[in-house]
């Protein structure tokens, strides 16, 4: 039987398609196009032929013809479905390989000078500011409490451990708890409320299929944890003790401790796949922190109990609908003796119950929507000397989000959130929008506008006579991200305008405060300078002013530094990983003057001793610079309590099938 030679070219209308698959339907006759988009192959088929061309990311092209020579097949790029697009504007994602900037739990533990703390690891990113006297997250000119934490979509009332004034705190949660961390610097959708500047949503790991047991030890903390896997569920636990007594004895600091810092904590999780469409996750964590310190002529003694628990259920209920429901409880109890003067006692109890339900549906390849309702039930009690108050209120909220593909490469996210705080009866409507141009996986351009709100501190609400309306902030962000072959670049200018900040006017708290924060963040990650070297550069410029609390004039808040730079280098040599980082922050302005700039050079080394044993060590502030964090009203400088900090930890997996996985969960 004679054969017919089929030949031609495949194009996208502009350029030839290299490596497209061309074949006769119903046969194995075909070939791939060459570097000029040309194809040529033989077939036994005669008469009218149905020829098909396929290429990843393009719609299949079909050509029916009786001709065999000089065929031209034009292909059209496949439009990204709405549930496939990942908009990364103003968000840094950890632990998800399809998102920008991946990092797993082990990376968090061994990142720069983090010493296993999620909060410290996040401070290597642009947008965050160095506030060394407490170590909390300050984002783009906002206060630390303007960043809110969520676990599995549920709010955490107090995400930090406690400490005395001018001492760094740590995040409460183990990085091994989470499979995904999404740190949003602003411009987030309607799902998240009660956060003026940023949100930190974290997703716990899924049901574990194998048993685990792990231990770790260092000069300052000791940990044991494990998981028992069942057919379709798993139960995990983690226990940790952190104590500074041994370290302080070996390396004394500038403070006069009567009882070294100590924290005993425990966590447990139960996760179950109730069916192929339904997943239950539950978590409970408790920690008790205590310490004592001589300050002036008093002996401060502090003890805090912090408990957090949540349970969530995700289920696909048919016809493309999915349902999320959740409940969370946060309780924090603080007792302080000699809090301000000798012989006094301070007691504070805060409690929050968070209820949430949300429905999601993908309607088509161009539209998906979600809508939800939630309620925050809050209570606080404070007793100090002869002063006492009790505050109860609830915050009811609803939101709706719509993500729309306008044209194949242009996406629009529209959302609205409405809130009612019953202590003053006010209603707030907050529209938000994000427009994104995503022509390919390498480039994104986004513009975001939105309004955000947050209730004031409980003390301020009470002292205002419950007349303190919620503070609001308007965000405007432009985001550009481009990924070269081995380099990723992100540039984000932003502008925030604050309204209704708490302000003391004639001795009474009012909502008359206001302010602005504007600046630009730059992030560069490179893998091409030297083989096995990963380098990152973060630069943040911030210009912020506000009139709030006891300020008598509009000025730069004392926690804000105009320039923040962080450079990190990570180099792999066989089973050894060497890290070096440089952190710089310009001086912070106070009425009595500006502090010197902050600078710290840190180094760390990780040794993968065996597939089940890892040794990590770090030395912070190698040069021994005495950094001044802030000035007290009397003009005295608040310095770091120690110039250097040395850490060495050993992580051991006792029952694990995966090499270098020290996750206890």
């Amino acid at each position: 039987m004679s054969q017919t030679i089929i030949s031609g070219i495949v194009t996208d209308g502009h350029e030839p398609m290299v490596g497209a698959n061309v074949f006769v339907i119903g046969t194995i006759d075909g070939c791939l196009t060459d570097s000029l988009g040309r194809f040529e192959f033989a077939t036994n088929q005669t008469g009218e032929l149905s020829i098909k061309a396929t290429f990843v990311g393009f719609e299949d092209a079909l050509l029916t013809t009786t001709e065999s020579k000089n065929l031209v097949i034009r292909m059209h790029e496949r439009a990204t479905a709405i549930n496939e697009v990942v908009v990364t504007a103003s968000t840094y994602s950890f632990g998800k390989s399809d998102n920008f900037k991946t990092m797993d739990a082990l990376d968090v533990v061994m990142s720069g000078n983090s010493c296993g703390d999620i909060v410290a690891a996040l401070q290597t990113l642009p947008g965050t500011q160095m506030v060394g006297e407490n170590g909390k997250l300050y984002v783009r000119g906002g206060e630390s409490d303007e960043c809110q934490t969520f676990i599995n979509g549920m709010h955490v009332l107090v995400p930090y451990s406690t400490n005395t004034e001018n001492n760094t705190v740590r995040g409460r949660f183990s990085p091994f708890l989470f499979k995904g961390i999404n740190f949003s610097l602003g411009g987030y959708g309607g799902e998240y409320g009660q956060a003026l500047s940023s949100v930190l949503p974290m997703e716990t790991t899924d049901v574990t299929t194998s048993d685990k047991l792990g231990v770790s030890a260092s000069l300052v903390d000791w940990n044991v944890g494990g998981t028992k896997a069942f057919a379709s569920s798993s139960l995990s636990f983690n226990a940790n003790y952190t104590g500074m007594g041994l370290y302080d004895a070996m390396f004394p600091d500038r403070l006069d401790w009567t009882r070294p810092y100590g924290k005993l904590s425990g966590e447990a999780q139960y996760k179950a796949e109730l069916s192929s469409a339904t997943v239950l996750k539950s978590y409970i964590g408790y920690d008790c922190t205590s310490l004592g310190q001589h300050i002036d002529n008093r002996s401060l003694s502090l003890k805090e109990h912090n408990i957090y628990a949540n349970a969530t259920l995700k289920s696909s209920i048919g016809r493309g609908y999915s349902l999320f429901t959740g409940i969370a409880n946060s309780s924090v109890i603080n007792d302080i003796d000699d809090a301000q003067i000798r012989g006094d006692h301070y007691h504070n109890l805060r409690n929050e119950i968070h209820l949430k339900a949300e429905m999601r549906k993908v309607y088509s390849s161009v539209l998906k929507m979600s809508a939800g309702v939630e309620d925050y039930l809050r209570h606080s009690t404070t007793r100090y000397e002869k002063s006492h108050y009790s505050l109860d209120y609830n915050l009811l909220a609803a939101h709706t989000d719509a993500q729309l593909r306008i044209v194949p490469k242009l996406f629009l996210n529209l959302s609205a959130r409405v809130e009612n705080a019953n202590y003053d009866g006010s209603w707030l409507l907050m529209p938000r929008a994000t427009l994104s141009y995503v022509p390919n996986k390498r480039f994104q351009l986004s513009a975001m506008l939105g309004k955000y709100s947050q209730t004031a501190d409980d003390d301020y609400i009470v002292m205002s006579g419950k007349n303190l309306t919620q503070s609001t902030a308007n965000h405007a962000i432009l985001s550009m991200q481009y990924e070269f072959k081995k380099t990723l670049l992100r540039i984000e200018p932003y502008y925030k305008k604050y309204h209704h900040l708490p302000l003391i006017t004639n001795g009474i708290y009012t909502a008359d405060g206001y302010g602005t924060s504007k600046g630009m963040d730059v992030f560069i990650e490179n893998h091409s300078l030297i083989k096995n070297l990963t380098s990152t550069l973060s630069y943040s410029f911030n210009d912020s002013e506000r009139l709030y609390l006891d300020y008598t004039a509009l000025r730069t808040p004392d926690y804000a530094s105009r320039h923040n730079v962080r450079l990190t280098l990570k180099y792999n040599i066989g089973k050894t990983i060497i890290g070096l980082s440089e952190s710089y922050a310009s001086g912070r302005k106070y009425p009595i003057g500006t502090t010197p700039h902050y600078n710290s050079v840190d180094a760390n080394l990780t040794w993968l001793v065996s597939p089940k044993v890892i040794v990590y060590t770090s030395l912070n502030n190698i040069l021994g610079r005495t950094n001044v964090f802030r000035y007290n009203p009397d003009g005295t400088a608040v310095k770091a309590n120690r110039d250097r900090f040395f850490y060495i930890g050993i992580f051991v997996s006792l029952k694990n099938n995966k090499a270098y996985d020290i996750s206890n969960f």
Side-chain angles (χ1 to χ4, degrees):
M1 182 181 293
S2 62
Q3 290 188 321
T4 303
I5 303 299
I6 307 297
S7 64
I9 187 172
V10 178
T11 175
D12 64 358
H14 304 284
E15 301 289 339
M17 302 284 291
V18 181
N21 186 25
V22 183
F23 59 94
V24 178
I25 294 177
T27 75
I28 60 172
D29 302 332
C31 69
L32 297 178
T33 58
D34 63 17
S35 61
L36 298 178
R38 299 174 301 191
F39 62 89
E40 183 175 318
F41 61 90
T43 180
N44 293 327
Q45 302 297 309
T46 59
E48 187 175 75
L49 301 176
S50 294
I51 301 174
K52 189 174 185 179
T54 63
F55 192 83
V56 176
F58 284 75
E59 302 285 355
D60 293 349
L62 181 63
L63 177 65
T64 301
T65 179
T66 57
E67 302 293 329
S68 61
K69 304 290 187 181
N70 301 319
L71 302 179
V72 177
I73 302 177
R74 180 172 178 179
M75 302 192 71
H76 299 276
E77 188 173 359
R78 180 175 64 87
T80 304
I82 191 66
N83 61 336
E84 296 175 332
V85 67
V86 178
V87 176
T88 61
S90 213
T91 297
Y92 292 82
S93 297
F94 299 78
K96 295 184 178 181
S97 60
D98 58 345
N99 276 354
F100 163 65
K101 183 57 185 171
T102 61
M103 178 183 283
D104 59 20
L106 188 58
D107 291 323
V108 171
V109 169
M110 300 172 185
S111 170
N113 59 356
S114 69
C115 298
D117 182 30
I118 292 176
V119 172
L122 292 175
Q123 288 174 347
T124 63
L125 296 175
T128 61
Q129 296 184 298
M130 175 57 65
V131 183
E133 64 268 32
N134 62 39
K136 297 180 181 180
L137 284 173
Y138 290 75
V139 178
R140 291 178 172 173
E143 273 273 23
S144 62
D145 60 6
E146 293 179 22
C147 176
Q148 296 295 307
T149 301
F150 297 82
I151 295 181
N152 294 339
M154 306 307 297
H155 185 239
V156 180
L157 185 62
V158 180
Y160 303 102
S161 62
T162 190
N163 211 329
T164 56
E165 188 178 3
N166 302 324
N167 275 278
T168 301
V169 301
R170 289 172 63 89
R172 291 186 53 221
F173 304 103
S174 165
F176 304 121
L177 176 67
F178 305 104
K179 69 172 183 180
I181 301 173
N182 292 291
F183 184 33
S184 178
L185 303 176
Y188 31 94
E191 177 184 0
Y192 297 111
Q194 290 302 290
L196 283 178
S197 286
S198 59
V199 293
L200 179 60
M202 302 189 286
E203 182 75 16
T204 58
T205 55
D206 295 325
V207 173
T208 304
T209 57
S210 62
D211 294 347
K212 295 182 178 182
L213 183 62
V215 296
S216 65
S218 74
L219 292 175
V220 297
D221 58 358
W222 298 265
N223 183 88
V224 59
T227 293
K228 178 62 179 176
F230 305 99
S232 58
S233 62
S234 60
L235 178 64
S236 306
F237 78 96
N238 188 62
N240 176 271
Y241 175 73
T242 301
M244 292 299 297
L246 176 61
Y247 191 93
D248 288 343
M250 296 173 62
F251 309 104
D253 63 11
R254 295 186 173 95
L255 304 180
D256 185 5
W257 298 100
T258 59
R259 187 169 70 253
Y261 177 94
K263 184 180 75 168
L264 180 65
S265 60
E267 300 168 291
Q269 286 190 89
Y270 178 71
K271 298 163 285 189
E273 295 178 352
L274 303 181
S275 70
S276 59
T278 304
V279 175
L280 169 71
K281 289 185 176 183
S282 61
Y283 168 83
I284 184 168
Y286 166 77
D287 59 67
C288 175
T289 306
S290 66
L291 54 89
Q293 180 186 348
H294 272 131
I295 302 176
D296 299 326
N297 64 343
R298 56 193 171 98
S299 296
L300 181 145
S301 176
L302 181 152
K303 179 171 284 189
E304 179 186 85
H305 301 273
N306 195 331
I307 185 168
Y308 175 77
N310 74 25
T312 62
L313 188 71
K314 287 184 179 181
S315 181
S316 298
I317 57 178
R319 296 187 177 182
Y321 287 95
S322 61
L323 175 66
F324 171 90
T325 56
I327 180 172
N329 183 87
S330 299
S331 297
V332 185
I333 304 171
N334 265 295
D335 285 283
I336 308 176
D337 292 320
D338 284 12
Q340 293 185 353
I341 59 174
R342 192 171 183 176
D344 69 0
H345 178 75
Y346 171 86
H347 171 81
N348 176 252
L349 163 66
R350 296 178 65 193
N351 179 258
E352 176 189 84
I353 298 175
H354 182 204
L355 306 171
K356 185 176 181 180
E358 185 178 62
M359 187 81 74
R360 296 175 180 267
K361 179 176 173 59
V362 179
Y363 285 92
S364 67
S365 62
V366 300
L367 176 65
K368 66 176 180 180
M369 296 188 68
S370 64
V373 294
E374 56 188 326
D375 196 9
Y376 296 83
L377 294 90
R378 292 174 172 171
H379 167 79
S380 64
T381 298
T382 295
R383 294 194 302 269
Y384 180 68
E385 297 299 276
K386 297 180 180 180
S387 174
H388 175 275
Y389 78 75
S390 183
L391 174 68
D392 292 276
Y393 72 93
N394 76 294
L395 186 81
L396 186 65
H399 77 272
T400 180
D401 284 78
Q403 297 183 48
L404 175 68
R405 190 187 74 205
I406 302 174
V407 294
K409 300 175 183 179
L410 193 64
F411 301 86
L412 177 65
N413 185 306
L414 294 173
S415 63
R417 182 178 178 89
V418 61
E419 291 182 347
N420 170 251
N422 73 342
Y423 65 81
D424 71 344
S426 62
W427 286 88
L428 274 176
L429 175 63
M430 291 163 284
R432 303 167 186 179
T434 300
L435 182 65
S436 299
Y437 175 61
V438 189
N440 51 57
K441 291 185 177 181
R442 299 176 61 186
F443 179 73
Q444 285 195 22
L445 181 64
S446 299
M448 293 171 283
L449 294 170
K451 184 176 182 179
Y452 303 84
S453 69
Q454 189 169 341
T455 58
D457 183 273
D458 291 345
D459 290 346
Y460 304 156
I461 294 174
V462 170
M463 287 187 282
S464 73
K466 297 184 180 181
N467 292 318
L468 202 61
T469 59
Q470 291 198 67
S471 301
T472 62
N474 296 323
H475 293 196
I477 304 169
L478 183 65
S479 175
M480 187 279 289
Q481 177 181 310
Y482 189 81
E483 186 171 0
F484 302 88
K485 187 176 182 180
K486 290 188 177 181
T487 302
L488 191 142
L489 170 67
R490 176 183 287 188
I491 301 174
E492 287 192 357
Y494 62 88
Y495 177 81
K496 291 192 291 185
K497 189 172 182 63
Y498 291 92
H499 301 277
H500 309 300
L501 295 176
L503 176 68
I504 299 177
T505 305
N506 298 324
I508 299 174
Y509 276 92
T510 68
D512 296 332
Y514 59 92
T516 60
S517 179
K518 54 184 179 291
M520 183 174 68
D521 297 332
V522 178
F523 182 84
I524 302 173
E525 183 175 86
N526 181 272
H527 299 267
S528 65
L529 296 177
I530 301 175
K531 185 179 180 181
N532 299 327
L533 176 69
T534 299
S535 58
T536 64
L537 175 64
S538 300
Y539 169 70
S540 299
F541 168 77
N542 177 259
D543 179 14
S544 57
E545 290 184 322
R546 58 172 60 190
L547 176 66
Y548 83 134
L549 300 183
D550 59 352
Y551 287 19
T552 57
L554 188 69
R555 67 178 178 89
T556 300
D558 52 29
Y559 55 78
S561 49
R562 178 159 291 203
H563 304 280
N564 282 265
V565 182
R566 295 174 182 88
L567 172 66
T568 65
L569 303 172
K570 185 171 71 173
Y571 185 66
N572 292 32
I573 308 175
K575 293 185 177 182
T576 302
I577 304 169
I578 301 173
L580 187 68
S581 64
E582 156 72 13
S583 299
Y584 167 88
S586 57
R588 291 155 51 184
K589 294 182 179 180
Y590 288 82
I592 64 170
T594 302
T595 65
H597 71 271
Y598 171 91
N599 188 71
S600 179
V601 179
D602 313 314
N604 62 83
L605 184 145
T606 304
W607 180 27
L608 308 177
V609 181
S610 76
K612 293 188 176 183
V613 179
I614 300 173
V615 176
Y616 169 79
T617 181
S618 67
L619 178 61
N620 296 350
N621 195 18
I622 294 173
L623 303 180
R625 177 183 171 84
T626 300
N627 286 302
V628 175
F629 292 140
R630 62 188 301 269
Y631 289 128
N632 289 320
D634 62 3
T636 58
V638 175
K639 304 175 183 178
N641 62 346
R642 51 170 48 93
D643 291 332
R644 296 184 179 92
F645 187 83
F646 175 71
Y647 180 90
I648 181 169
I650 302 174
F651 304 84
V652 182
S653 294
L654 300 177
K655 190 174 184 179
N656 201 327
N657 296 323
K658 184 179 179 183
Y660 306 120
D661 178 9
I662 58 174
S663 169
N664 297 325
F665 289 102

